[in-house]
Structures are given as C-alpha cells and as structure tokens.
Amino acid sequence: MATTALFGLIGYPLGHSFSKRYFTEKFEQIGLADSHAYTQFEIPSIEDYPVLLKTKGIRGFNVTIPYKQQIIPFLDEIDPAAARIGAVNTIKILSDGRTRGYNTDYFGFQQTLKDWSAYSEFKSRKAVVLGQGGAAKAVIAAIEDLGIPVIKVSRKASDEAVSYEALPALMDSIGLIVNTTPLGMHPHEEACPAIPYANLTPQHYLYDIVYNPLETTFLKKGIESGAGGIHTGIQMLYGQADKAWEIWQS
C-alpha cells in the first residue's frame, strides 16, 4: 500500500489556522483524499523542526507565525524571491530529501491587489504597511514591485520605519494601508492597530491580511471612519495556498 503524501503547517500557536481545512477540502475536491493528507505541527520552538522531517510520507510544509524568518537557516536551498524578502512560508521536500523554501505570501497578496477594483484609486499614492514580521516583508516587496512607494510603520521609529505617532501628518500622501500585524486576530478580536482613524477619507483603502475574523476591528473602524474601501485577508490565504500546492506538485 502506497504511503500517504503528507503536508502540514508549522507554527505556534495554531488555533487560528484555516490551512488544514482548506487543503483537506481541496484534496477531496480533486480526488486525492485517499492518498494525500494535511495536518498541523504546533511546535513551541523552531529547534523542533528537524524532527518533523522524519515524519512518514512528508512532502512539504506551510510555515506561519512566528517561524517565517526563523526557519531559513534550517533549509538546504531558498528561492531567490524568498531570499530577497527574507521570509519563507512554503517548504518543498525534494526527491533527494533536501528542502527548498519559497514565499507564496508575495504571490497571493500581489494578485489580490491587482484584482481589487480599487487598485486604480490607490496605486498613484503611497502605501503604508503596519508591522515588521515575515508577512510584512512579503507584502512590502509585492507593493514595491508594482511601483508603489511604501512607508513602513512600527511601534518605535527607526531608520527603516516611522512610528504610529507620525502617521497623521502623512495621511494626505497615502492611498493604501495594510495591516500585517496579528492585532485583531481571534481570540483577541477587539484589538486593532493604532492608526489615526479620524483622519481617514475616501482616498484611503484598508487591507487586513488577518482572516479570522473575516472583518477585523481595523476594517470595521475604517468603514465607520469613511475609508474608500476595505479588503479582507481570505483571498490572499487562498492565493498563497494555491501557489504552495503548485510548488509541491511541480
């Protein structure tokens, strides 16, 4: 009997993840449920990762918070785009057992931006990216590769980023505001980034890559404050997941 081809999600904690359900349903839809499976590997330390490679039938991983950057030294190879971004969210186990890291957040996010009907409204202005994690790096690269200048925002100002306190003075030049922080993610749904909501106008479009809940407090406050539109994170999740499947199959 053939070994089941196993794929899984690495992260900690994993209570918020949609990936297992998404891939399990995908395998059923394309007739692979008998030969393919998807599971979750909730590891409290990235040092536990090498043990996962010994899992029977393992073919690939998705990587989520907090390991998208920490995983890199453990990989044998890294795709050039992922190397430039400095974060990996997909790992393919090659036929000889070596591992290769990719970043499909970049692809998933960029495609949703180009498909958004509001794209023509905000592409001529600057974009703001909230957060400094692995997902932020992919989002920044995806936006910059579309020719849109990016203002990076962090809790503390640095050479690379401005602080939240600096945002009110910059709002006239901004079109798109993207939240890549986990603020507002289940179960802490009341939380939201400290942007100047009172300064939002119809020229501002808000995108949250958090997808549970679908409409976060950040997005709700954006609409209530008069933003031009909002975008939830679920299409990015689907887009990056489909790209991961394409990589695993290639």
Side-chain angles (χ1 to χ4, degrees):
M1 188 176 171
T3 302
T4 297
L6 185 64
F7 304 87
L9 177 67
I10 300 169
Y12 191 86
L14 289 179
H16 64 266
S17 175
F18 277 38
S19 299
K20 186 176 192 300
R21 190 176 82 192
Y22 181 74
F23 278 106
T24 300
E25 289 176 357
K26 185 179 188 73
F27 295 153
E28 288 171 357
Q29 288 164 3
I30 60 179
L32 294 177
D34 292 339
S35 59
H36 290 60
Y38 194 96
T39 189
Q40 295 193 161
F41 296 104
E42 190 170 42
I43 54 172
S45 166
I46 195 62
E47 303 296 331
D48 298 326
Y49 163 73
V51 178
L52 303 183
L53 291 170
K54 298 172 184 172
T55 308
K56 187 178 180 183
I58 195 71
R59 301 283 180 81
F61 299 101
N62 293 122
V63 184
T64 188
I65 294 169
Y67 299 133
K68 292 181 183 184
Q69 292 160 277
Q70 294 179 36
I71 193 73
I72 292 173
F74 292 86
L75 302 172
D76 296 308
E77 298 177 11
I78 184 167
D79 177 72
R84 180 164 64 93
I85 293 163
V88 161
N89 76 326
T90 299
I91 300 168
K92 180 178 182 176
I93 299 173
L94 306 173
S95 56
D96 60 5
R98 287 177 305 121
T99 54
R100 184 171 175 86
Y102 297 83
N103 191 301
T104 66
D105 283 334
Y106 170 96
F107 175 87
F109 177 79
Q110 191 181 74
Q111 194 60 48
T112 61
L113 270 197
K114 291 191 289 187
D115 291 345
W116 192 0
S117 58
Y119 180 58
S120 60
E121 301 292 326
F122 59 72
K123 70 177 183 180
S124 58
R125 294 190 173 93
K126 293 177 182 176
V128 162
V129 176
L130 312 174
Q132 300 242 287
K137 292 174 188 294
V139 164
I140 289 164
I143 295 172
E144 288 181 338
D145 285 354
L146 292 173
I148 300 171
V150 173
I151 299 169
K152 302 169 192 173
V153 179
S154 189
R155 283 174 298 204
K156 289 183 180 177
S158 67
D159 293 342
E160 288 282 303
V162 304
S163 68
Y164 283 88
E165 289 74 21
L167 280 177
L170 302 172
M171 294 296 278
D172 285 352
S173 67
I174 293 164
L176 176 67
I177 304 173
V178 185
N179 176 43
T180 72
T181 77
L183 288 169
M185 182 187 287
H186 178 79
H188 305 294
E189 297 177 18
E190 70 294 333
C192 64
I195 68 163
Y197 294 95
N199 296 47
L200 292 174
T201 71
Q203 85 171 33
H204 299 114
Y205 292 82
L206 273 56
Y207 191 129
D208 202 331
I209 71 167
V210 170
Y211 52 83
N212 185 17
L214 203 53
E215 193 169 288
T216 59
T217 298
F218 169 69
L219 296 180
K220 287 176 183 170
K221 289 181 75 168
I223 288 297
E224 289 166 5
S225 303
I230 61 169
H231 200 298
T232 70
I234 198 74
Q235 289 98 336
M236 177 183 169
L237 178 74
Y238 291 160
Q240 66 83 19
D242 286 339
K243 188 68 175 178
W245 177 240
E246 183 184 308
I247 288 165
W248 293 332
Q249 289 293 95
S250 64

